[in-house]
Amino acid sequence: MKRIVDNKHPLAIRWFHWINFPVLSLMIWSGLLIYWAYDPYKITVGGYTLLSFFPDGFYKALGVPFRLAQGMSWHFAFMWLFTLNGILYVAYTFISGEWRYLLPKRNSFREAWQVILHDLGIRKAPLPVEKYNAAQRIAYSSIIVMGLGSLLTGLAIYKPTQLWWLTTLLGGYEMARLIHFALTIGYVLFFIIHIAQVVKAGWNNFRSMVAGFDVVDEKA
Amino acid sequence: MQMDTEQTPHMPEREALTTEQQIRRRTLKAFAWFGLASLLPVGIWKALTAKPIEQGVPKALRSILNANEGLANVFFSNQHLAPTFAVSKATKQVGINGMEGLRGAVDPATWQLQINQPGKSLTLTMADIKALPKYDLVFDFKCVEGWSQVQHWAGARLADLVAKYDLGTRTGQKPTDEADFYKHLGMETPDKGYYVGLDVASALHPQTLLAYEMNGEAITAPHGAPLRLLIPVKYGVKNLKRIGSITFADERPRDYWAERGYDYYLGL
């Protein structure tokens, strides 16, 4: 017997979530146009470049080169929306009490391992039933901290003279830019795992993020 | 729920069907709204990329950049200084990025600085500039491309020059208020091949220098000899080399990179 559970995801949270998707995409895209103009970051191990951010072919495939001015225009327009949406989301979760489902609990860090083992198919025992499991709580809270990090490091490199104290606090101009970049890579990794989990969780879960309601199977 | 009462023997079936129908109906409705709402970003994209293009940037996007400038002006303060460093931290390999406006040679001995404003003009020599108090500036120079470099420059404060010759005010006299100043100041190279526009507050910032020395020696030609602008509250592109003229005005002076799609303000 199926039963509709209303308001699994409140309307406000669905709006914040789906507004963030195109806004963050645009911030990452415009950020890439900016980063191209000075792209020194790479991961090296013992003098050997493991991964360079980014290879020429990657830039060319995405049409990135020589669009710094355009990237800056978009980045400095949509930073407002990114910030506002983030602030409203955090304010809403606190006012509505949704934070109770989202913040990690004392035992979340231990439980998160069990979730990972479960998701990888290593641990067969079912997980405790919760709106968000331990790994989700950590992930969804981290992403907010990361968002705040992007905002602060972004401000630090946007106005390094007016906000010199912030830039200094974050380790200087170059460090702030590096952190700003690393956080973006973090969003991309988050996105990949997030999509994989959504696919794995199935249609019902995805629908609840659009329609709000959940459908549960109940044994009669 | 009445599904197991005897009076309504068909209810379990109907109830199940109704739930399914409800799910279907609500799903369709939600996704219809979702589709409709996703037209919103499409609309925003269209509005922001719509013509006319104003100096390389769509008008709507340009107006957001100008609004950012307005906000930046609210927070701008002469008390906010770019961090400075010990001279030993300064690089010996100072980056050279742009050569626009540096065609041909300029003889420092005959070079002159032309200063214009409505109803007033002035021609100064290198000796006049050097007569002003000299300041050293070791700061993290920031290129709009994203790199930065600690560099050592020395020269006169633009604010001192403005004060000494009573420049930049609409009255032509000493300012009694900040509002007396023209809103902008434009600088151009002698060949007019490169030019920048500055808001007057940034131009009069205490770290804004008319520099004639780099690393303790006279500035070389590729770095903008004999006199160049150093303005830590702006990206490198505003740090015009080989200054030929300075013009005060209320309307925005032309700006080389703003004409090529960059933000006009570019304030740090």
Side-chain angles (χ1 to χ4, degrees), chain A residues 33-169:
Chain A
L33 299 185
I34 296 170
Y35 174 73
W36 171 86
Y38 176 58
D39 61 344
Y41 306 140
K42 48 182 164 256
I43 298 173
T44 55
V45 176
Y48 174 77
T49 299
L50 215 57
L51 191 59
S52 118
F53 301 103
F54 293 94
D56 279 344
F58 173 83
Y59 289 132
K60 281 208 189 95
L62 295 178
V64 169
F66 301 105
R67 294 171 76 182
L68 168 63
Q70 194 189 8
M72 290 173 79
S73 299
W74 285 99
H75 213 67
F76 301 147
F78 277 80
M79 61 181 185
W80 298 114
L81 210 48
F82 175 77
T83 304
L84 188 70
N85 194 50
I87 290 171
L88 290 178
Y89 170 79
V90 172
Y92 177 82
T93 51
F94 274 91
I95 293 164
S96 68
E98 282 286 313
W99 63 270
R100 288 187 189 89
Y101 309 114
L102 286 159
L103 281 183
K105 293 185 291 190
R106 193 191 297 262
N107 55 358
S108 290
F109 296 91
R110 192 158 34 83
E111 271 181 30
W113 286 110
Q114 292 167 10
V115 175
I116 291 168
L117 292 176
H118 178 270
D119 286 351
L120 293 173
I122 296 166
R123 188 180 184 274
K124 295 293 176 210
L127 295 168
V129 180
E130 265 196 300
K131 182 165 182 177
Y132 298 119
N133 65 42
Q136 283 177 302
R137 282 173 181 265
I138 292 171
Y140 299 157
S141 297
S142 307
I143 205 80
I144 296 305
V145 176
M146 286 166 67
L148 180 66
S150 289
L151 172 64
L152 294 179
T153 53
L155 283 171
I157 50 181
Y158 180 55
K159 297 289 172 197
T161 301
Q162 302 308 316
L163 302 174
W164 62 271
W165 51 271
L166 181 64
T167 314
T168 306
L169 201 70

Side-chain angles (χ1 to χ4, degrees), chain A residues 2-22:
Chain A
K2 284 181 175 170
R3 186 167 66 85
I4 295 176
V5 178
D6 276 314
N7 240 15
K8 183 192 178 192
H9 297 301
L11 182 64
I13 286 195
R14 282 178 274 147
W15 270 102
F16 296 134
H17 173 270
W18 288 112
I19 286 172
N20 196 53
F21 175 57

Side-chain angles (χ1 to χ4, degrees), chain B residues 6 14 19 47 58 75 79 132 146 236 243 246:
Chain B
E6 282 187 27
R14 271 182 56 195
T19 308
F75 291 101
Q79 312 300 319
L132 294 161
I243 307 170
I246 298 177

Side-chain angles (χ1 to χ4, degrees), chain B residues 3-23:
Chain B
M3 48 186 152
D4 33 32
T5 55
E6 282 187 27
Q7 290 89 331
T8 53
H10 299 296
M11 276 310 278
E13 229 179 4
R14 271 182 56 195
E15 183 78 4
L17 202 67
T18 314
T19 308
E20 284 294 346
Q21 278 177 335
Q22 262 184 23
I23 294 170

